[in-house]
Amino acid sequence: MKKVYSLIFLLLFTGAAFAQKQGIEQAYVDRLIKTLSADDMQGRKTFEPSSEKAADFIAKEFKAIGLKTLPGLSGYKQTFTVNRIKPGTPEVKINDQAVDPGKVFIITDQPGLQWQKSGGAAIDVVSIGAQDSYSQKMGELMKAHKNTLVLINPAHQDIFTKYRNYFGKGNTSLASTAAEQGSLVVVLHETAEPASYQVKVTNQVQTSQISNVVGIIPGKKQKDEKVVFSAHYDHIGILKPVDGDSIANGADDDASGTTAVITLAKHFKKQKAPARSLIFVAFTAEEIGGYGSQYFSKQLDPEKVVAMFNIEMIGKPSKFGKNTAWITGYEKSDFGKILQKNLDGTQFTFHADPYPDQDLFYRSDNATLARLGVPAHSISTDEIDIDKRYHSVDDEYDSLDIANMTQVIRAIAQSASSIVAGKDTPSRVNAAALR
Ligand SMILES: [Zn+2]
């Protein structure tokens, strides 16, 4: 008898550690994620009506919770304009010889380009030789945002073709930053230093409006200091059918994180008013380049954001077992240590990202704010190295462990408590040291 009693006591007690996590109930979590990952959401692809449908659902939930809207906005949608560029067929001449358009791709947000050696605009010419690292050099060029003609040694043909297949479909840019961007014209060619060149191309530019969904709980004491809880609601839409299923439901990626953000909003709204202001944001366009978080980051002062909890793929237990999660960029600030300290005495543990080779810190929306110095990290449980469902039609509701996911959300709420209350302030990320 005694053992049973103590067991019951233990269950009650461990339940009690999370009992004050009001609003974080499994049935609620279940309803949200089921809705967001249902087939009628059609994979929530940016620019598709299904993405708008998901945004409307999130806004409706924010309203039901009673979140405030951002100052200056009439609703929860933070709508902005992006330019989608579909490159035309490029006419390129190197040393007066026409280049096969199949050996050219262009990364640009301009309606047209017209370059020639001795022309007006200052164009850099860079070559990537047979011995150079293609990925590293291209990475640097894409970050530099300068008008550049890039000559790729034919030794890199295979990787060149992969890039061409990707960028040939076109690219997207925030309308507000168009002027900051330079264009890259990338040519597979044996010449490293051309005596002359000409580039001419006319591109199709389409302007579209897309939306983040944002709600806030104003802080009581340190109102200006903001804590952001985020996830991306977009996914990758429709893929090639596998066994008759073509919908990439994105249940884990990232309906799970979006569900967490809504549930955390409900939880914190039920608590007494927080010391700091809390911002809950569901980002659009993460999968196609992180445009939602880029726009969001330009609408606020990053110095005033004390922490960002970005939640990515928490639907399945982590490699450390149930009641665990891990944090990307653990060593880049003391955010993770603070979270873990707030979990002391619970059955929950947070770990450092166990997949450093995967570069996950840079692969989600947190990186955009981290580059502005914000202690912005992603919290995840995904076994990304072996997750065969990732970005496939099998990332479905049925594959998730909703009970464990609910616990993860409770743990995030608990782990954030001292930051929300204004008692802990994570150290800033050293933006200069980031890629
Ligand atoms: Zn994701």
Side-chain angles (χ1 to χ4, degrees):
M1 284 295 275
K2 211 168 180 196
K3 267 189 174 157
V4 176
Y5 271 125
S6 57
L7 182 65
I8 287 170
F9 181 74
L10 190 71
L11 287 171
L12 284 172
F13 185 75
T14 50
F18 279 147
Q20 73 267 44
K21 295 289 154 279
Q22 288 168 326
I24 309 181
E25 285 126 28
Q26 189 173 328
Y28 183 75
V29 168
D30 193 70
R31 174 176 70 78
L32 296 179
I33 195 160
K34 220 174 194 167
T35 307
L36 284 165
S37 64
D39 279 356
D40 65 6
M41 286 289 180
Q42 298 281 302
R44 308 183 305 275
K45 190 177 181 180
T46 307
F47 304 124
E48 300 290 328
S50 57
S51 174
E52 212 55 34
K53 181 172 169 159
D56 288 337
F57 171 74
I58 298 161
K60 201 180 88 197
E61 295 298 327
F62 278 2
K63 185 164 191 211
I65 292 165
L67 297 186
K68 298 260 188 292
T69 58
L70 277 181
L73 293 185
S74 56
Y76 297 102
K77 283 192 189 171
Q78 181 183 51
T79 303
F80 57 97
T81 305
V82 291
N83 294 327
R84 301 160 70 191
I85 287 89
K86 203 171 168 357
T89 306
E91 293 169 41
V92 175
K93 280 185 185 172
I94 302 287
N95 296 336
D96 285 327
Q97 297 281 308
V99 178
D100 170 6
K103 294 187 171 171
V104 180
F105 70 85
I106 293 177
I107 307 175
T108 185
D109 55 13
Q110 301 299 310
L113 299 176
Q114 201 154 3
W115 298 349
Q116 53 194 12
K117 192 164 189 177
S118 76
I123 306 299
D124 289 353
V125 178
V126 172
S127 66
I128 300 184
Q131 307 304 322
D132 293 331
S133 160
Y134 178 96
S135 315
Q136 191 196 330
K137 282 200 115 178
M138 275 301 288
E140 287 165 11
L141 289 164
M142 288 169 69
K143 219 181 139 184
H145 296 306
K146 283 168 74 182
N147 283 333
T148 310
L149 173 67
V150 189
L151 296 162
I152 308 286
N153 186 284
H156 298 295
Q157 168 132 29
D158 289 352
I159 188 161
F160 170 88
T161 305
K162 278 187 195 147
Y163 271 61
R164 188 178 179 278
N165 290 343
Y166 181 79
F167 288 107
K169 291 183 196 129
N171 60 285
T172 304
S173 65
L174 283 185
S176 55
T177 60
E180 300 168 16
Q181 314 269 328
S183 303
L184 296 182
V185 175
V186 187
V187 184
L188 194 69
H189 206 279
E190 56 281 359
T191 309
E193 290 174 42
S196 72
Y197 60 80
Q198 274 181 291
V199 172
K200 210 175 141 186
V201 65
T202 306
N203 305 313
Q204 255 179 48
V205 182
Q206 192 187 340
T207 295
S208 301
Q209 298 221 300
I210 54 178
S211 306
N212 297 323
V213 190
V214 193
I216 61 176
I217 301 175
K220 204 136 197 196
K221 291 200 193 100
Q222 294 118 295
K223 199 174 191 314
D224 281 351
E225 299 178 6
K226 295 165 176 97
V227 182
V228 174
F229 296 90
S230 64
H232 68 93
Y233 71 88
D234 69 303
H235 193 57
I236 55 174
I238 307 295
L239 302 178
K240 270 196 212 118
V242 179
D243 299 328
D245 183 7
S246 61
I247 302 169
N249 300 79
D252 206 357
D253 186 11
D254 192 19
S256 68
T258 306
T259 294
V261 168
I262 300 169
T263 307
L264 288 165
K266 185 176 176 213
H267 162 71
F268 284 113
K269 190 72 177 63
K270 282 179 184 278
Q271 305 282 99
K272 70 174 187 343
R276 288 176 164 138
S277 293
L278 311 184
I279 303 185
F280 301 90
V281 52
F283 291 124
T284 184
E286 189 269 352
E287 301 283 8
I288 59 166
Y291 301 105
S293 53
Q294 285 176 38
Y295 182 81
F296 174 83
S297 74
K298 292 172 197 290
Q299 310 312 309
L300 45 67
D301 178 0
E303 292 293 322
K304 295 279 159 55
V305 181
V306 298
M308 177 188 198
F309 293 73
N310 187 55
I311 305 161
E312 265 272 16
M313 305 186 71
I314 55 163
K316 304 191 283 277
S318 93
K319 70 176 283 182
F320 303 110
K322 286 186 193 253
N323 299 324
T324 66
W326 43 265
I327 302 172
T328 64
Y330 199 91
E331 70 295 342
K332 296 189 196 309
S333 78
D334 62 4
F335 174 90
K337 283 199 191 104
I338 293 170
L339 270 56
Q340 180 53 37
K341 179 200 74 180
N342 289 330
L343 291 173
D344 282 353
T346 73
Q347 75 271 51
F348 222 96
T349 49
F350 279 174
H351 302 255
D353 172 6
Y355 313 106
D357 295 349
Q358 295 265 354
D359 248 3
L360 298 167
F361 182 78
Y362 294 98
R363 281 171 55 186
S364 190
D365 291 310
N366 64 288
T368 300
L369 278 93
R371 289 192 184 99
L372 301 170
V374 177
H377 301 260
S378 291
I379 299 172
S380 180
T381 63
D382 190 39
E383 294 193 75
I384 189 84
D385 56 338
I386 53 166
D387 186 353
K388 294 213 163 53
R389 297 176 187 272
Y390 173 71
H391 279 205
S392 84
V393 298
D394 295 328
D395 181 2
E396 293 183 337
Y397 168 81
D398 289 346
S399 66
L400 304 186
D401 180 340
I402 305 296
N404 186 66
M405 182 178 146
T406 306
Q407 288 292 89
V408 175
I409 300 171
R410 287 176 182 156
I412 294 171
Q414 173 100 7
S415 76
S417 53
S418 66
I419 299 174
V420 168
K423 289 180 192 144
D424 278 320
T425 304
S427 55
R428 306 294 288 175
V429 163
N430 177 9
L434 301 185
R435 276 176 274 144

